Amino acid sequence: MTNLMISIFINGLILLFTYLLIFIIYYISVVFSGKQIGKFLNKLDKNKVHEQKLAVIVYADNNINNHNITRLLETLNNQEYNRDNYSLNIILDGCDDETANMLEFIGGAKIYRTGTTNAPIGKDIAISDVLERTLVSSNAQGYIFLNANRIISERFLSSVNIALNLNPVVVGLTQIVNKPLTLYEKVLKALLDYNNIVINLGRSVLNLATVIDSDICAIRLEVLNEVKSIDFSSDENELKYTFLLAKFGFAPVFNPYIVTKIDSEKFNLKNILTVINWYTDEHACPIPVQKGVFVSDKSILRNSENILFSVILNADHSSCK
């Protein structure tokens, strides 16, 4: 009996050591790859990238601040992208008449009103319904999903277009702006920056997937035709949807060139912890991207590492309204 227990104990230690060794090798590979940014980012003349037709679907619930959504619509209407090559679709889920009237006054977007002020129908149902209609009526080759609380620059759609020319499903970068953070929040923000620069970027270099983010992601038409659905109903279901996309050969890829920012009052600590836990918990097992999709074509940005690190870390938010 004693020998059996010793044998079980030794085998357990071997398994634990093996797991730790595999994880350490994986982690070092990701960190090292993330630091090889010079090999990953090359100059790309945006004039050489074909402007495909894009459809932007913006979701706003009844908690949205009117200033945020009008600011977003005005920026979307003033993109560097050819206005004939993209359409704007804004979902107002449980929003009041004032919000709808303001957006209609600004113009440039098709407005969909769903739910009631006290009972919004939810992001997943609302987006699925509008997406189904848009797929029928639009000739878009790429679909962009964006939360109405985001701040973007005039180059946003050009950045998405570049990313979608490289990968069929892409996830963008989120930054936090304009908030005096507590010490605890500063630590979490630092972890988010680290996760973006080292982990997400490193995984992209290694052809590993990123969890889909319904607040900022883009999907090519052929993916939607193949997968036949979306699932943005919860963080857990976004994770499941990531695995579904990977099963079809369309694993999402992080692209730091797609930058969105979020006001301090919308700063969600839970989202940061969810992302960090996913990459350091049992889900850290690699999900491969289609072979050769990302690494074989390293032309992704107009500039190299200085631009990327300034985009992610600097405190100058002048590029966004």
Side-chain angles (χ1 to χ4, degrees), residues 70-88:
T70 53
R71 174 183 57 194
L72 177 62
L73 178 55
E74 288 170 350
T75 309
L76 284 169
N77 274 326
N78 290 283
Q79 291 290 295
E80 294 179 7
Y81 213 69
N82 188 324
R83 192 61 182 84
D84 294 331
N85 288 336
Y86 69 95
S87 62
L88 302 178

Side-chain angles (χ1 to χ4, degrees), residues 133-315:
R133 299 188 203 180
T134 308
L135 285 169
V136 173
S137 61
S138 171
N139 61 346
Q141 298 162 290
Y143 289 78
I144 302 166
F145 302 93
L146 190 62
N147 194 298
N149 61 18
R150 298 305 173 103
I151 307 169
I152 61 173
S153 74
E154 287 79 5
R155 292 207 72 252
F156 175 75
L157 292 182
S158 297
S159 302
V160 173
N161 183 55
I162 291 171
L164 282 178
N165 270 278
L166 296 174
N167 298 101
V169 183
V170 293
V171 177
L173 169 73
T174 298
Q175 289 183 304
I176 302 161
V177 298
N178 302 331
K179 180 175 181 179
L181 303 177
T182 65
L183 177 60
Y184 174 67
E185 291 170 337
K186 287 179 180 178
V187 171
L188 288 178
K189 184 179 182 299
L191 288 173
L192 177 62
D193 290 336
Y194 167 78
N195 186 72
N196 282 326
I197 297 170
V198 178
I199 303 300
N200 278 336
L201 184 58
R203 287 178 63 88
S204 294
V205 173
L206 290 174
N207 272 8
L208 302 179
T210 299
V211 181
I212 197 77
D213 181 359
S214 60
D215 287 341
I216 170 57
C217 65
I219 305 176
R220 285 208 301 244
L221 175 63
E222 68 256 29
V223 178
L224 296 171
N225 287 337
E226 183 79 15
V227 180
K228 304 293 185 185
S229 66
I230 58 169
D231 192 347
F232 297 156
S233 53
S234 67
D235 291 340
E236 291 76 15
N237 284 347
E238 287 183 6
L239 175 58
K240 292 178 183 177
Y241 188 56
T242 300
F243 279 98
L244 177 64
L245 290 169
K247 180 181 178 181
F248 279 88
F250 303 120
V253 174
F254 172 74
N255 191 306
Y257 196 26
I258 305 173
V259 181
T260 66
K261 301 181 182 182
I262 186 169
D263 281 334
S264 57
E265 66 267 17
K266 301 296 182 182
F267 179 39
N268 192 335
L269 300 181
K270 173 181 175 294
N271 289 346
I272 296 179
L273 292 174
T274 299
V275 171
I276 293 171
N277 288 337
W278 190 83
Y279 289 128
T280 56
D281 203 353
E282 67 271 15
H283 301 298
C285 56
I287 307 174
V289 181
Q290 281 180 294
K291 185 177 180 181
V293 168
F294 212 88
V295 172
S296 63
D297 188 347
K298 297 178 184 295
S299 298
I300 185 174
L301 297 182
R302 292 184 301 169
N303 301 298
S304 57
E305 55 258 75
N306 292 336
I307 292 294
L308 177 69
F309 280 98
S310 66
V311 165
I312 295 176
L313 288 178
N314 68 12

Side-chain angles (χ1 to χ4, degrees), residues 56-114:
V56 183
I57 298 178
V58 177
Y59 176 78
D61 61 18
N62 55 353
N63 293 317
I64 191 66
N65 182 293
N66 284 343
H67 170 68
N68 289 343
I69 192 169
T70 53
R71 174 183 57 194
L72 177 62
L73 178 55
E74 288 170 350
T75 309
L76 284 169
N77 274 326
N78 290 283
Q79 291 290 295
E80 294 179 7
Y81 213 69
N82 188 324
R83 192 61 182 84
D84 294 331
N85 288 336
Y86 69 95
S87 62
L88 302 178
N89 306 273
I90 297 182
I91 302 169
L92 300 179
D93 188 15
C95 298
D96 56 28
D97 292 337
E98 180 184 355
T99 303
N101 292 336
M102 288 178 65
L103 297 183
E104 289 171 358
F105 177 77
I106 295 172
K110 193 169 186 178
I111 310 297
Y112 298 87
R113 301 192 66 179
T114 61

